[in-house]
Amino acid sequence: MRVTKFEHASLRIDQNGETLLIDPGSFTAPLHDLGSLVGVVITHEHPDHWTPEHLDRILRAAPGTPIFAPAGVARAAEGYEVTVVAPGDTRTIGEFTLRFFGGTHEVIHSSLPVVENVGVLVNDQLYYPGDSYAVPEGVSVDTLAAPLGAPWLKVGEAMDYVLAVMPRRAFGTHDMTLSVIGKGMHRQRLQWATEQGGGEFSILEPGESIDL
């Protein structure tokens, strides 16, 4: 299974000629080569994780592609056919088995509403929590896509999250709000946290991939 990181929170997963997309949002450049696409996962409704423009482009390239997301996304994306998922659900589409965890977005500020958020475990290998520190209970995480920067993120809490998950491997995502210097600093902190559990931290720039 190959995982490719794109700008901010967007991931592409390829397995045996089929493709899954996660969180193509407003900070992500247009995605191409989607003829093998079998599914899209949107973790929550904030625009840095999905936009109508991305969905329109994706559905033109791969008509009828199923979209999996929590109920808040289904409401925000009125007019699109969304399969609503919640923590505890499992869905299989093509080469991909998706297990969902979590339930809520991390708190940004008391003045802002807390929205629904699902983390997704792909083929029992890759876990991406969306905008949350939800630990997938009862799961030994092989590879963690760990958030690096956000209005809701404090790097010490992000380090504690990686320590709690103890992945065999991790890489940073959700990073477009950081400067080059800040991104490097946060990567170093999460590398340290990953290594405490005996894991390895990979640095991925947009368009770069790792094979699981």
Side-chain angles (χ1 to χ4, degrees), residues 26-48:
S26 58
F27 299 153
T28 304
L31 301 169
H32 302 286
D33 301 323
L34 299 178
S36 59
L37 187 66
V38 297
V40 177
V41 174
I42 300 172
T43 60
H44 65 282
E45 64 200 70
H46 290 159
D48 58 324

Side-chain angles (χ1 to χ4, degrees), residues 67-151:
I67 301 165
F68 302 93
V73 173
R75 292 189 294 269
E78 185 179 0
Y80 295 92
E81 187 173 340
V82 176
T83 297
V84 173
V85 293
D89 288 350
T90 299
R91 297 287 186 272
T92 299
I93 182 73
E95 290 288 321
F96 303 102
T97 298
L98 312 174
R99 298 171 61 191
F100 296 95
F101 297 86
T104 57
H105 192 288
E106 291 299 317
V107 174
I108 301 172
H109 187 262
S110 59
S111 65
L112 299 173
V114 176
V115 302
E116 296 167 296
N117 177 95
V118 291
V120 60
L121 179 68
V122 182
N123 290 351
D124 289 329
Q125 289 182 281
L126 171 72
Y127 183 63
Y128 172 57
D131 283 13
S132 82
Y133 295 132
V135 176
E137 297 297 333
V139 173
S140 179
V141 174
D142 179 86
T143 302
L144 174 67
L148 281 176

